[in-house]
Amino acid sequence: MNTEQVISYIKENNIQKVKFAFADIDGILRGKVISTKKFIDGLQDGYGFCDVVFGWDSNDVTYDHVELTGWHSGYPDKQCYIDVATMRNVPWENNIPFFLADYTGPNGDALPACPRSLLKQIVKQCSAMGYHAEFAQEFEWFNFKETPQSLQQKGFANMEPLSPGMFGYSTLRTSQNSAFYYDLFNLLTQFNIPVEGIHTETGPGVYEAAITHSETLDAADKAVLFKTAVKEIAYQHGLTATFMAKWNQNLPGCSGHIHQSLWTSDQTDNLFYDSNDASKMSELHKQYLAGQLYCMPHLLPMYAPTINSYKRLVEGAWAPTTITWGVDNRTTALRVINTSKAYTRLETRIPGSDTNPYLAIAAALASGLYGIKNKMKLDVAPTVGNGYQNKANGSLHANLYDAATAMQNSAIAKELFGEGFVQHFTQTRLWEHRQYAKSVSDWELKRYFESI
């Protein structure tokens, strides 16, 4: 619906309040419920929101060394703007109207730290090049028979999973928890997040879902909302869902793979497909893939944004460690899927479920377009067999500090996303590293407390 239609809907249905939110640098939704009067009054000029939402971390601790905001600026309001095209009703909250917002103003100016605004800029570049991009993100996550209160009381130890054992693709385990399982499918669909399928993965209480592909920004919106929606639906069942990349060293990690393809502007022809090529890949597809391979070490924190991300990116854990690609190869960083023209696409396998979808998708699209703009040759041979052993083109950074430092100093990153975003984002990642570096872990206590 457009603005006029939304206002008419609000008035005709005597709606008294609406809910809106935007994603912060970590992909966490920050928002509020406002009266419909305030909602209508702010549709043109925006809504003031304290910019500390881009000046603190996932635990609401304020960053240091960021220029955008801080004690030095007094944490003023910045204007965010609701995108009325994102309207949907929240079925588990009495169908309250819900909207997504970002920090792109009417004149096109954007706050450098706003992830959705950043992706909108990349999508605009894609359209200007004559392409329509289709994206979808899939997620794995663990579910626990815990509440926020019980997790705090237990100190996040001895947590009870939704179901025991390693039961990938199990119909028994989903039948055992059918009320939650079918609520996920049905309520997500009602919330305008259509999923292609949901099933158990290997691990106690772990599920996987693939979101139906759509236009880039819409796909990112759905991915961001999916994570919060799953958590809120889980709460309705007395459960807690986690999208950590690796919550337990003895269990598989949780992926957030990104699927993508480029089409003609009228969406009639998949430009990644060429029936005459041995791998069914067009030259455009090869250039796009080459761009992702080239930019990968420069943009890794956008795919792997937390300390925990790198606990998943280890050999033999169904997550990549090398700068590689292959056809239908799940050990490489990039997997080409070419089963048919309609479904030919590229899967970026680095992201875990802890990603900020706006940033991960922006990294994938921007680096792919970089390869096309520069007519890059795909001179890296496809990996056949074990991608972990193929280090010919280099390996991914093994920790957040190295990845963030590389991005901070990267001319490529600044060319793709601008100095303002790169400075802010990498400083937030280095802050994350410093918080981790000064913490004392359970591993240290168990190893050193008595014996050292």
Side-chain angles (χ1 to χ4, degrees), residues 118-126 362 365-366 369 416-417:
L118 183 76
L119 180 57
K120 287 168 74 172
Q121 294 170 12
I122 306 303
V123 171
K124 185 177 180 180
Q125 295 172 22
C126 183
L365 182 57
L369 295 177
L416 294 180
F417 303 115

Side-chain angles (χ1 to χ4, degrees), residues 304-317:
T306 72
I307 292 291
N308 187 249
S309 302
Y310 298 82
K311 306 293 177 70
R312 170 181 163 269
L313 298 175
V314 295
E315 291 188 10

Side-chain angles (χ1 to χ4, degrees), residues 347-425:
E347 179 187 34
T348 304
R349 293 179 57 82
I350 302 169
S353 59
D354 59 344
T355 49
N356 180 336
Y358 292 122
L359 298 187
I361 290 174
L365 182 57
S367 57
L369 295 177
Y370 181 87
I372 294 172
K373 290 174 185 175
N374 292 281
K375 294 182 169 54
M376 298 186 73
K377 294 294 182 182
L378 184 55
D379 52 11
V380 177
T383 297
V384 178
N386 192 342
Y388 297 117
Q389 296 177 352
N390 184 1
K391 298 180 172 62
N393 201 44
S395 298
L396 301 176
H397 297 294
N399 59 71
L400 182 59
Y401 176 81
D402 289 344
T405 301
M407 183 174 178
Q408 185 179 52
N409 297 324
S410 168
I412 296 293
K414 293 168 186 174
E415 177 183 346
L416 294 180
F417 303 115
E419 179 86 35
F421 169 77
V422 172
Q423 190 279 335
H424 183 85
F425 178 63

Side-chain angles (χ1 to χ4, degrees), residues 139-351:
F139 291 104
E140 297 169 342
W141 75 97
F142 280 80
N143 302 287
F144 293 89
K145 292 182 177 179
E146 304 288 349
T147 66
Q149 290 76 19
S150 70
L151 289 171
Q152 293 290 335
Q153 291 164 2
K154 290 183 173 184
F156 294 88
N158 302 314
M159 296 178 288
E160 183 181 359
L162 176 62
S163 56
M166 311 292 273
F167 277 82
Y169 297 99
S170 171
T171 57
L172 289 175
R173 286 296 186 248
T174 53
S175 178
Q176 180 186 10
N177 300 286
S178 60
F180 174 53
Y181 183 63
Y182 290 112
D183 256 5
L184 284 171
F185 193 97
N186 295 334
L187 294 175
L188 286 167
T189 301
Q190 293 172 37
F191 194 47
N192 193 24
I193 306 177
V195 293
E196 293 183 345
I198 302 178
H199 61 87
T200 63
E201 254 296 352
T202 299
V206 60
Y207 284 0
E208 179 179 357
I211 305 171
T212 303
H213 67 87
S214 59
E215 179 275 327
T216 309
L217 185 62
D218 182 60
D221 286 342
K222 288 173 178 173
V224 168
L225 291 174
F226 176 91
K227 293 172 68 173
T228 296
V230 166
K231 293 176 184 179
E232 293 183 359
I233 294 168
Y235 288 153
Q236 305 297 314
H237 291 265
L239 306 173
T240 295
T242 180
F243 286 82
M244 284 183 67
K246 185 89 167 178
W247 84 270
N248 186 301
Q249 66 181 20
N250 299 314
L251 294 172
C254 291
S255 68
H257 301 154
I258 297 171
H259 296 254
Q260 66 232 256
S261 56
L262 292 184
W263 294 67
T264 53
S265 57
D266 61 4
Q267 305 173 43
T268 59
D269 194 19
N270 186 347
L271 298 174
F272 273 8
Y273 182 80
D274 183 353
S275 61
N276 297 316
D277 183 77
S279 298
K280 302 293 187 287
M281 297 172 63
S282 68
E283 187 60 31
L284 189 82
H285 192 175
K286 293 176 182 178
Q287 292 173 353
Y288 185 98
L289 194 154
Q292 279 206 13
L293 287 173
Y294 181 76
C295 295
M296 199 176 289
H298 299 269
L299 309 178
L300 186 56
M302 297 175 76
Y303 296 129
T306 72
I307 292 291
N308 187 249
S309 302
Y310 298 82
K311 306 293 177 70
R312 170 181 163 269
L313 298 175
V314 295
E315 291 188 10
W318 297 97
T321 60
T322 54
I323 301 173
T324 49
W325 75 279
V327 177
D328 201 15
N329 190 331
R330 287 183 168 87
T331 69
T332 56
L334 301 176
R335 172 184 171 228
V336 172
I337 302 169
N338 58 5
T339 52
S340 70
K341 181 175 182 178
Y343 290 100
T344 292
R345 61 194 186 275
L346 181 65
E347 179 187 34
T348 304
R349 293 179 57 82
I350 302 169

